[in-house]
Amino acid sequence: KEETKTDDFNRACDHILVLLEDSLQCIERGSWGTSVFLSITAIEEVAKAVIGLYRREGQVEQVKRGKDNLFNHQEKHRMAVLPTVFMGKRLEEALGKGRCDELLKEAANGDFRNLRESALYFSNDNGQFVTPANTIPKDQAKEFFLLAVETADDRLVGYTGHTGIIENRLDEMFLAVAHP
């Protein structure tokens, strides 16, 4: 049974890595909105993976979906983006201390939720269609990608041996975007 828990966690980590790889490819293609959406989704999946380590079938009461924080985007952002994500220096060096402080507040205040929506969907704003291409700049795509990578590194690496392999790829991706 313990091996299955480890395998489950490793599969979740692999899925998060795929989301980040896809986000990186979007940056390379200039699809900033989709990159932001995938980065925020990766952050949400990090929260689910970490919480999933502690939730065990039969040990947790069944909770209605509407009351389960793992079905709430804002709560997943809060659970994943903790102050420890910013303790290493590389995110601060890439984005600046002020922006790191803002990102931590934005995650806690639920600001990622609106960004997530505007990164994927177009809207009708006073009779004009506003698309993600109109609202999500390259720099924002890069900073959310770096935040997602650092969140995955901070929150996932170290639980299993498999995460060491993932850590190497996270480091490569971070460097590719932070220092192109």
Side-chain angles (χ1 to χ4, degrees):
K1 194 108 177 154
E2 193 62 42
E3 185 177 312
T4 302
K5 292 174 192 174
T6 299
D7 291 343
D8 286 347
F9 182 76
N10 288 340
R11 272 192 305 281
C13 291
D14 288 342
H15 168 66
I16 292 163
L17 188 61
V18 167
L19 291 171
L20 292 170
E21 293 280 6
D22 290 350
S23 180
L24 178 59
Q25 289 177 358
C26 288
I27 288 173
E28 292 167 352
R29 286 196 322 269
S31 182
W32 317 129
T34 305
S35 176
V36 167
F37 178 81
L38 290 168
S39 293
I40 292 173
T41 302
I43 289 168
E44 294 170 359
E45 294 292 83
V46 166
K48 287 170 51 181
V50 172
I51 297 301
L53 284 170
Y54 302 101
R55 285 192 177 181
R56 295 291 171 241
E57 195 173 315
Q59 294 179 336
V60 179
E61 280 185 41
Q62 290 296 332
V63 180
K64 289 186 180 181
R65 188 176 173 131
K67 294 189 186 257
D68 187 341
N69 283 343
L70 292 186
F71 292 100
N72 180 310
H73 296 293
Q74 183 174 333
E75 289 304 317
K76 288 185 282 189
H77 304 156
R78 285 182 188 157
M79 288 187 276
V81 183
L82 298 177
T84 56
V85 170
F86 302 92
M87 285 183 170
K89 290 297 174 201
R90 73 180 181 176
L91 195 57
E92 187 177 309
E93 289 170 0
L95 304 179
K97 179 161 178 31
R99 185 60 185 133
C100 288
D101 291 343
E102 289 172 13
L103 285 167
L104 181 59
K105 286 179 191 163
E106 289 172 18
N109 293 336
D111 296 342
F112 291 5
R113 192 178 66 226
N114 293 335
L115 177 61
R116 179 184 183 278
E117 298 296 313
S118 64
L120 189 62
Y121 303 110
F122 74 85
S123 62
N124 186 331
D125 197 11
N126 292 324
Q128 283 207 290
F129 286 167
V130 178
T131 68
N134 302 118
T135 59
I136 308 292
K138 179 180 183 177
D139 288 345
Q140 191 171 35
K142 287 184 171 188
E143 72 184 23
F144 271 84
F145 175 78
L146 295 174
L147 176 63
V149 169
E150 198 67 7
T151 299
D153 189 329
D154 178 70
R155 303 302 313 280
L156 303 176
V157 172
Y159 280 106
T160 68
H162 182 67
T163 59
I165 298 164
I166 291 169
E167 180 181 29
N168 292 334
R169 183 60 187 138
L170 293 173
D171 290 344
E172 291 170 1
M173 290 190 297
F174 190 96
L175 288 173
V177 172
H179 307 289

